[in-house]
Amino acid sequence: MIEAALVTILPAGFLVVLFGGGVLFLKRNIEQDGEAPINRTLFYLSKYSILALWGAMVLQSWGIRLSFVGVPRSLQLIALLVWACGFAFMYAGRFTMKDSFRLGTPRENTRLRTDSLFSISRNPMYVGVYLTIAASALYTVNPLVILLGVFVIAVHHRIVRAEEKHLRNVFGREYAEYCSRVRQYI
């Protein structure tokens, strides 16, 4: 029961931060939704697919068996650690970005964040997403979860490349120097 509650609290809390932050942004006339940097349908399909993957982990943690095989407890414990690390990256990345956070590329000028977690990864929130997807796959060992996870990671890598192209265009030399110091993921 404690495990299931903790598994559930991390994504639920992140969604509160994400959407609650969007409401706070709107009160300050800032649009959290940016431009989809790739095909809009693919962009949003991959974003909402993350929720399905998180949901699979949550359901499995509450005893709704999604696995076709017995999942060893050691594998589940590894998945729980990866899950927590993934959300740690996502929360830290979101709070570090402050007003520069957007879903997609911003429509207006924002600040380039290179401090804190962004000094070790140019895309810590995507690292977090990838870790939570891996955790869900390990925890459920469900072929559909694994396939959907591969799809989401592949699409999000395309999103990262498109967003980084946008950042190169906006921040020029400053971004190029940042890229020479900090890896794309880790």
Side-chain angles (χ1 to χ4, degrees):
M1 175 91 164
I2 292 173
E3 179 178 313
L6 291 173
V7 167
T8 305
I9 286 169
L10 288 172
F14 187 77
L15 292 173
V16 167
V17 166
L18 186 67
F19 293 112
V23 169
L24 293 175
F25 272 21
L26 284 176
K27 287 183 179 183
R28 294 177 25 228
N29 293 320
I30 300 172
E31 182 67 38
Q32 180 174 280
D33 284 338
E35 296 288 333
I38 63 170
N39 173 279
R40 185 176 169 79
T41 302
L42 192 57
F43 177 80
Y44 283 106
L45 178 62
S46 69
K47 294 295 182 187
Y48 288 116
S49 292
I50 293 169
L51 299 178
L53 293 165
W54 291 352
M57 174 100 172
V58 168
L59 289 174
Q60 183 91 5
S61 75
W62 284 99
I64 298 171
R65 193 160 180 241
L66 302 177
S67 178
F68 299 117
V69 297
V71 181
R73 185 65 183 151
S74 58
L75 189 59
Q76 286 185 325
L77 292 173
I78 290 167
L80 291 169
L81 179 63
V82 172
W83 182 255
C85 289
F87 278 103
F89 269 90
M90 291 174 62
Y91 278 101
R94 172 61 190 94
F95 288 122
T96 300
M97 287 187 82
K98 300 178 184 171
D99 289 349
S100 295
F101 178 80
R102 298 292 182 281
L103 291 172
T105 56
R107 294 182 174 107
E108 71 286 346
N109 291 333
T110 59
R111 181 173 167 235
L112 178 63
R113 299 287 177 179
T114 61
D115 55 340
S116 185
L117 198 52
F118 290 90
S119 66
I120 61 169
S121 172
R122 296 193 313 259
N123 298 285
M125 292 186 70
Y126 287 113
V127 170
V129 168
Y130 299 163
L131 288 172
T132 62
I133 290 169
S136 186
L138 291 172
Y139 198 82
T140 64
V141 191
N142 180 296
L144 295 175
V145 169
I146 294 166
L147 287 173
L148 185 58
V150 168
F151 164 77
V152 169
I153 290 171
V155 172
H156 275 74
H157 182 66
R158 284 185 59 199
I159 292 168
V160 166
R161 289 187 5 225
E163 287 178 351
E164 289 199 335
K165 181 179 177 184
H166 170 81
L167 292 169
R168 266 188 206 88
N169 292 336
V170 171
F171 295 105
R173 184 176 177 90
E174 180 185 8
Y175 189 73
E177 288 173 3
Y178 173 59
C179 289
S180 70
R181 293 188 320 270
V182 178
R183 291 178 182 256
Q184 187 173 48
Y185 294 114
I186 293 186

